[in-house]
Amino acid sequence: KAGVTQTPRYLIKTRGQQVTLSCSPISGHRSVSWYQQTPGQGLQFLFEYFSETQRNKGNFPGRFSGRQFSNSRSEMNVSTLELGDSALYLCASSWGDSSYEQYFGPGTRLTVT
Amino acid sequence: SQKIEQNSEALNIQEGKTATLTCNYTNYSPAYLQWYRQDPGRGPVFLLLIRENEKEKRKERLKVTFDTTLKQSLFHITASQPADSATYLCALAPGGSYIPTFGRGTSLIVHP
């Protein structure tokens, strides 16, 4: 079974721009979660989507948004990029109902200059 | 405030020995606890889950204990190998939540 895929793997953007990251979950998984990982803060939860609805949300500003499509694929968008947004963005998928294990993708390394 | 603590210092051990990593938490009542492995530049990989009513869980060379009185989980890798070198993250979540909170992780280095 194919794992979680994320595109692009690497991205360089300029402050003030916006960016869209994509995640394709494992087939059959209905929950997709997004995390930001930085050396200073570790792995921080952004939001979770289940069946196209945002089910949980972390403590990030409104510049961070996401959505999920009917095929469970998900995108996250960051508008008005700041230098501090430079991080590894990880997507994780799970069944979302009775299973707690999360399966992570390889991540998108975003660098904001 | 809720806090999850993992040793920030790397754990260095010799091949063949048992590695023991610690995860402590405060102001938290987790229903379950997970351990993940993360290699540099890659996403975490799920290893084991243990629930609050379980004391111990094993999987091959891995063993996890969960002491809700001490608010601590221990993660053991027996007969460690250089290939076990990675960062190990613990993650906790309350009942009914599918969103765990992650610790900062502990780096394990196994020397041949």
Side-chain angles (χ1 to χ4, degrees):
Chain A
K1 183 155 68 169
V4 178
T5 58
Q6 291 186 245
T7 56
R9 292 293 313 280
Y10 303 91
L11 207 49
I12 300 175
K13 288 286 189 179
T14 303
R15 204 169 27 175
Q17 289 184 315
Q18 75 164 15
V19 67
T20 299
L21 312 181
S22 181
C23 171
S24 291
I26 290 172
S27 178
H29 284 188
R30 294 161 64 191
S31 169
V32 173
S33 298
W34 288 90
Y35 293 84
Q36 180 195 68
Q37 188 174 34
T38 60
Q41 298 296 324
L43 203 61
Q44 294 191 290
F45 171 71
L46 282 156
F47 29 67
E48 181 227 5
Y49 286 86
F50 180 79
S51 293
E52 301 180 67
T53 301
Q54 187 180 86
R55 188 165 66 170
N56 290 284
K57 188 178 187 306
N59 296 322
F60 276 80
R63 300 185 298 106
F64 292 83
S65 63
R67 59 178 175 167
Q68 186 180 35
F69 303 95
S70 58
N71 61 358
S72 292
R73 191 177 69 85
S74 178
E75 289 181 347
M76 71 162 278
N77 184 77
V78 188
S79 62
T80 319
L81 284 166
E82 300 176 359
L83 294 179
D85 296 333
S86 294
L88 181 67
Y89 289 88
L90 292 159
C91 156
S93 77
S94 69
W95 296 107
D97 42 21
S98 60
S99 173
Y100 297 106
E101 301 108 75
Q102 295 197 308
Y103 296 85
F104 284 82
T108 294
R109 172 72 64 185
L110 172 65
T111 302
V112 182
T113 61
Chain B
S1 62
Q2 297 173 340
K3 192 182 285 189
I4 301 171
E5 293 181 339
Q6 294 186 258
N7 199 335
S8 58
E9 285 186 23
L11 176 63
N12 286 273
I13 64 168
Q14 285 298 124
E15 182 176 9
K17 299 293 186 183
T18 296
T20 299
L21 305 175
T22 305
C23 176
N24 295 301
Y25 59 92
T26 55
N27 297 323
Y28 216 122
S29 296
Y32 65 91
L33 186 148
Q34 303 175 335
W35 283 88
Y36 288 79
R37 167 188 173 138
Q38 187 172 25
D39 292 284
R42 307 186 72 168
V45 174
F46 171 79
L47 296 174
L48 280 168
L49 178 150
I50 186 167
R51 299 178 189 275
E52 60 179 335
N53 59 350
E54 298 175 313
K55 296 294 185 187
E56 182 179 300
K57 206 97 175 263
R58 292 174 185 261
K59 180 182 175 183
E60 298 172 352
R61 295 185 296 113
L62 309 180
K63 184 179 85 171
V64 173
T65 62
F66 194 9
D67 189 326
T68 54
T69 301
L70 289 178
K71 296 186 182 299
Q72 180 182 79
S73 173
L74 298 178
F75 177 78
H76 307 272
I77 305 176
T78 58
S80 59
Q81 305 164 0
D84 295 326
S85 299
T87 295
Y88 291 85
L89 306 165
C90 75
L92 296 82
S97 171
Y98 299 101
I99 309 301
T101 300
F102 284 81
R104 299 287 294 274
T106 297
S107 174
L108 171 66
I109 302 169
V110 182
H111 299 277

